[in-house]
Amino acid sequence: MPGTFEPIPGGGAAVALDDVEISIIRSLAVQLLELIGPGPAEDAADPLAELFADGPSEPPADPVLRRLFPDAYGDPEQAPASPAEAQERQAHSAEFRRYTENDLRAGKRENALAVIRTLDALNASDAGGAVLKLSPEESRWWLGALNDLRLAIGARLEITDEDDTELLYRLPDQDPRKPMVMAYLWLGGLQETLVTTLMP
């Protein structure tokens, strides 16, 4: 079980993590929360109004947030056929973002918080680690958070396709990006084994 998720009775998943791994995942989840930003104030005067509040209509400036909250219309790799088409794409994307981004942010925030809560609930053993056991619902939250963490790190590393990933394997140890690359690859392994445990 070390380093890989395995299925457990009842449909959940379990993985053995050492103290360093627990610390890394928790730190990354906290950083992701800070990047996504706080949710609506809990003491809002009108929670129903908050539910129907418009979100932003412009894409985020930060490249990581742009990766986490991409435009819904238009392939960024494909140039629009005309200025009119570009303007139409932009208008559709702005409208879609205004009505969906707040909910998307809330979902990503909840996933990251679930990771932090489940890690904080662990009882580390004398050996310096613990076995994390997740319910089916917690497993889905973790899957979402692992995906977001990999997207965030991939954006920082400027990974855009599979060829970029292949180049990362060949980075020399003294390259300052190496720790981020190792985290990216490790999280990918965790994500892959968690997906496998959730498959019927």
Side-chain angles (χ1 to χ4, degrees):
M1 184 186 309
T4 61
F5 277 100
E6 293 184 5
I8 56 175
V15 62
L17 298 170
D18 65 31
D19 287 344
V20 173
E21 292 169 333
I22 292 167
S23 176
I24 290 171
I25 296 173
R26 190 184 190 289
S27 174
L28 290 171
V30 167
Q31 290 175 53
L32 182 64
L33 274 177
E34 290 170 353
L35 187 64
I36 292 170
E42 289 186 20
D43 59 347
D46 186 355
L48 193 59
E50 195 66 51
L51 182 65
F52 293 103
D54 284 353
S57 58
E58 294 296 319
D62 186 295
V64 174
L65 289 174
R66 275 200 310 273
R67 182 76 62 92
L68 292 172
F69 306 104
D71 275 337
Y73 291 89
D75 182 353
E77 306 271 325
Q78 181 183 4
S82 67
E85 183 183 340
Q87 191 173 17
E88 184 179 4
R89 276 191 200 177
Q90 188 176 5
H92 289 314
S93 289
E95 184 175 6
F96 187 83
R97 184 179 297 279
R98 186 167 48 250
Y99 294 116
T100 60
E101 188 167 312
N102 284 346
D103 286 343
L104 290 173
R105 282 182 184 260
K108 291 178 185 302
R109 196 178 297 114
E110 192 57 42
N111 290 341
L113 281 169
V115 167
I116 294 166
R117 288 184 188 121
T118 53
L119 291 176
D120 287 350
L122 284 176
N123 293 318
S125 69
D126 293 337
V131 174
L132 174 71
K133 293 182 179 177
L134 303 174
S135 69
E137 185 176 30
E138 289 169 337
S139 297
R140 288 189 291 276
W141 289 334
W142 263 75
L143 191 58
L146 288 172
N147 186 61
D148 289 340
L149 290 172
R150 290 194 76 239
L151 285 173
I153 294 172
R156 288 287 184 243
L157 292 170
E158 299 180 349
I159 296 171
T160 56
D161 57 35
E162 198 59 39
D163 292 339
D164 294 336
T165 306
E166 291 301 317
L167 292 173
L168 295 178
Y169 283 105
R170 294 190 214 97
L171 281 180
D173 289 343
Q174 60 271 24
D175 191 299
R177 296 171 295 172
K178 191 72 172 191
M180 263 204 304
V181 169
M182 298 307 291
Y184 179 80
L185 297 173
W186 173 57
L187 292 172
L190 283 177
Q191 182 182 17
E192 187 176 340
T193 60
L194 183 54
V195 167
T196 303
T197 67
L198 297 177
M199 290 173 67

